[in-house]
Amino acid sequence: MLEVKKEIEVTIIDLDYKGDGIAIVDDIYVYIKGALKDELVRALVLKVKEKFAIAKLIKVIKPSKDRLKDSVLLGSLNMSHLSFDMQLKWQSDITLKSFNKAFNKDFEIAPIITDNNNSSYRNKVTFHIMNNKILTLGLYDYNETRLVKTDRLDIANDNANILVKKLNDAKITVDFNILKHLMIKNNSENKLLVTLVSTRRSFIGLHEILELLDLDKNVLGVTLNIKDDVNKILGNKTYTLRGQDFLNENNLIMTTKSFMQVNFKVQDLVFEEIRKHILGKSIIDAYSGIGSISYNVLDNNKKLTLIDNNPENIKLAKEIFKDKEVNLLLGNAEDLIDELTCDTLLVDPPRQGLDKKFVNSLLNKKIKRIIYMSCNLQSLIRDTKLLANKYEIKEITPIKMFPETNSFETLVILDLIN
């Protein structure tokens, strides 16, 4: 019988959507973070409920042939103990199972989109300032409960990693109560935009940090963002301290607060896939950001409308699309969609998915095709179920946008039911 603080030996039968191992004891599902399928493990029971239990991995007695390392240090690499091929299979399997269960039918899914690379792919990394009088950059540990000093993140850009190591080695005195984060973005040419995130415009150590950054030829710009909400990394105000406040990326523009997919090569593969599915002559790109998707799938024969509620995104889109005829709308998609029509609708919303008002508007329209890109499988399935009376799923494609992590990206094509 399962009891809290009792050790158990179990065989893992599967992985859940978070990548945690699943065992069954006395008809109760036991979830064990860090355990892999087919492993025999010893674990300590932490919590027991009526239908499930949580246990902490103590020892892997019989490891999986797909295990690459004994343990994982960082939450940012929470699937790095599993071989890359099995990461691909796990994501595809979870995607298929989730849709089949939600819709009570058997779907087929397309092959997962991947460039088969699992290192140095991220074009954006955010490090936290640890509670130390000497500047120390860290990331959260595997259990996401404490910060760990980090000189290198394997999935980050090489030049970003070099810079992080320099900063950690510089022994710069700082006030960690004021300086909170350091964000580094890079473009495909490996040039960097560094953002210091603090609660004030001036703080101990700022001059020394800038001196160090001035010596790095790959740093094209340094900005300072003022943190005004403890629940968010970035605040509303950003100041330029050195050089430029942007990076150019294949006709697109990256700034401190602009959104772009973190994996350039996989992003380009996704653009190719989306381009195949554009129907008709008119496109609406809702939740458009700076318009990176529509810019890369648009041809001159299409009429395009972009909708975004961030003034900075619309400002950047005006620059990006300056040579094209595009209708740019600032506002919430759910407030503007009623007055618009199109043949193909592109949506790439935040993790919480589509606004319910937006979904209701789509149910009253006759848009031929919806192309839905999502970073949250749960909200994606919720929204596609809400649309199911009017739009049917034609294709589901998993995307390995975030190798070595349990984060999902998925592309779904929905067509109007005749």
Side-chain angles (χ1 to χ4, degrees), residues 320-347:
I320 292 167
F321 289 89
K322 62 184 178 183
D323 297 325
K324 300 178 183 290
E325 290 189 18
V326 177
N327 185 24
L328 302 175
L329 299 179
L330 174 62
N332 295 317
E334 61 269 21
D335 297 328
L336 299 173
I337 192 67
D338 281 341
E339 306 302 320
L340 303 170
T341 186
C342 64
D343 297 315
T344 297
L345 172 68
L346 301 174
V347 290

Side-chain angles (χ1 to χ4, degrees), residues 95-105 107 381 385:
T95 301
L96 181 60
K97 288 177 185 177
S98 299
F99 273 94
N100 286 350
K101 181 179 180 180
F103 285 84
N104 194 27
K105 63 182 291 189
F107 287 99
I381 289 173
K385 283 190 72 176

Side-chain angles (χ1 to χ4, degrees), residues 85-136:
D85 285 345
M86 291 308 294
Q87 289 181 41
L88 299 178
K89 184 178 186 304
W90 163 73
Q91 182 174 337
S92 295
D93 288 348
I94 289 293
T95 301
L96 181 60
K97 288 177 185 177
S98 299
F99 273 94
N100 286 350
K101 181 179 180 180
F103 285 84
N104 194 27
K105 63 182 291 189
D106 293 328
F107 287 99
E108 291 184 4
I109 62 171
I112 192 167
I113 295 176
T114 177
D115 68 340
N116 293 307
N117 172 56
N118 63 342
S119 66
S120 304
Y121 68 83
R122 282 194 69 96
N123 59 47
K124 172 190 171 185
V125 285
T126 301
F127 290 85
H128 308 287
I129 309 304
M130 297 181 66
N131 292 1
N132 192 333
K133 290 183 179 180
I134 301 300
L135 177 63
T136 309

Side-chain angles (χ1 to χ4, degrees), residues 55-102:
K56 179 183 178 181
L57 180 65
I58 296 175
K59 182 180 180 180
V60 178
I61 300 169
K62 181 183 175 184
S64 163
K65 60 181 176 56
D66 299 305
R67 178 176 283 276
L68 298 182
K69 57 178 76 171
D70 292 337
S71 61
V72 178
L73 178 63
L74 298 174
S76 304
L77 301 171
N78 57 19
M79 292 301 290
S80 60
H81 55 312
L82 180 64
S83 70
F84 186 63
D85 285 345
M86 291 308 294
Q87 289 181 41
L88 299 178
K89 184 178 186 304
W90 163 73
Q91 182 174 337
S92 295
D93 288 348
I94 289 293
T95 301
L96 181 60
K97 288 177 185 177
S98 299
F99 273 94
N100 286 350
K101 181 179 180 180

Side-chain angles (χ1 to χ4, degrees), residues 24 28 108 112 125 169 200 209 234 237 242 279 303 352 383:
I24 297 179
I28 293 176
E108 291 184 4
I112 192 167
V125 285
D169 289 346
R200 300 179 190 171
I209 292 172
L234 296 176
K237 293 183 179 180
R242 291 287 194 275
L279 278 184
K303 177 185 176 183
Q352 61 264 33
D383 292 343

Side-chain angles (χ1 to χ4, degrees), residues 134-339:
I134 301 300
L135 177 63
T136 309
L137 303 177
L139 296 169
Y140 279 99
D141 69 353
Y142 184 54
N143 292 313
E144 299 188 355
T145 55
R146 65 184 182 89
L147 288 173
V148 177
K149 181 182 177 182
T150 307
D151 288 331
R152 175 181 175 81
L153 178 63
D154 289 342
I155 58 177
N157 175 268
D158 288 339
N159 285 345
N161 278 323
I162 290 170
L163 181 57
V164 168
K165 181 70 165 63
K166 287 179 181 177
L167 287 164
N168 273 339
D169 289 346
K171 309 298 183 185
I172 297 172
T173 300
V174 295
D175 187 340
F176 58 79
N177 290 308
I178 298 176
L179 179 61
K180 307 304 291 184
H181 315 284
L182 184 139
M183 184 173 73
I184 306 174
K185 289 189 175 184
N186 65 273
N187 60 13
S188 296
E189 297 177 347
N190 299 311
K191 299 303 181 182
L192 308 178
L193 174 66
V194 179
T195 298
L196 306 171
V197 183
S198 69
T199 58
R200 300 179 190 171
R201 288 193 67 173
S202 180
F203 53 85
I204 296 171
L206 175 59
H207 177 72
E208 289 78 7
I209 292 172
L210 291 175
E211 281 189 332
L212 188 151
L213 295 178
D214 285 341
L215 296 175
D216 192 323
K217 66 181 187 302
N218 293 307
V219 176
L220 298 188
V222 182
T223 63
L224 175 68
N225 180 269
I226 304 301
K227 188 179 182 74
D228 52 25
D229 186 338
V230 294
N231 297 313
K232 297 178 181 179
I233 296 291
L234 296 176
N236 292 315
K237 293 183 179 180
T238 303
Y239 303 94
T240 303
L241 302 182
R242 291 287 194 275
Q244 60 195 51
D245 62 354
F246 66 94
L247 294 173
N248 288 313
E249 174 57 31
N250 291 334
N251 297 314
L252 300 176
I253 301 171
M254 303 172 69
T255 66
T256 294
K257 296 190 69 177
S258 65
F259 171 79
M260 188 175 291
Q261 294 292 347
V262 299
N263 190 326
F264 286 138
K265 291 184 178 179
V266 173
Q267 173 187 255
D268 290 344
L269 294 175
V270 175
F271 292 158
E272 289 179 17
E273 183 64 24
I274 291 175
R275 197 176 293 117
K276 300 174 188 175
H277 296 287
I278 299 293
L279 278 184
K281 296 292 185 180
S282 57
I283 304 169
I284 294 175
D285 186 354
Y287 306 89
S288 67
I290 62 173
S292 56
I293 295 178
S294 49
Y295 184 90
N296 283 276
V297 303
L298 184 67
D299 62 45
N300 293 329
N301 297 321
K302 300 288 192 293
K303 177 185 176 183
L304 174 64
T305 298
L306 268 63
I307 307 173
D308 199 85
N309 61 6
N310 185 328
E312 183 174 343
N313 284 338
I314 294 297
K315 180 181 177 181
L316 291 172
K318 285 180 180 179
E319 177 63 23
I320 292 167
F321 289 89
K322 62 184 178 183
D323 297 325
K324 300 178 183 290
E325 290 189 18
V326 177
N327 185 24
L328 302 175
L329 299 179
L330 174 62
N332 295 317
E334 61 269 21
D335 297 328
L336 299 173
I337 192 67
D338 281 341
E339 306 302 320

Side-chain angles (χ1 to χ4, degrees), residues 99 370-374 380 384 393-397 410-414:
F99 273 94
I370 300 173
I371 300 176
Y372 192 150
M373 188 165 166
S374 171
L380 171 64
T384 50
I393 294 174
K394 301 297 290 186
E395 189 169 298
I396 303 168
T397 305
T410 314
L411 184 69
V412 173
I413 311 300
L414 302 108

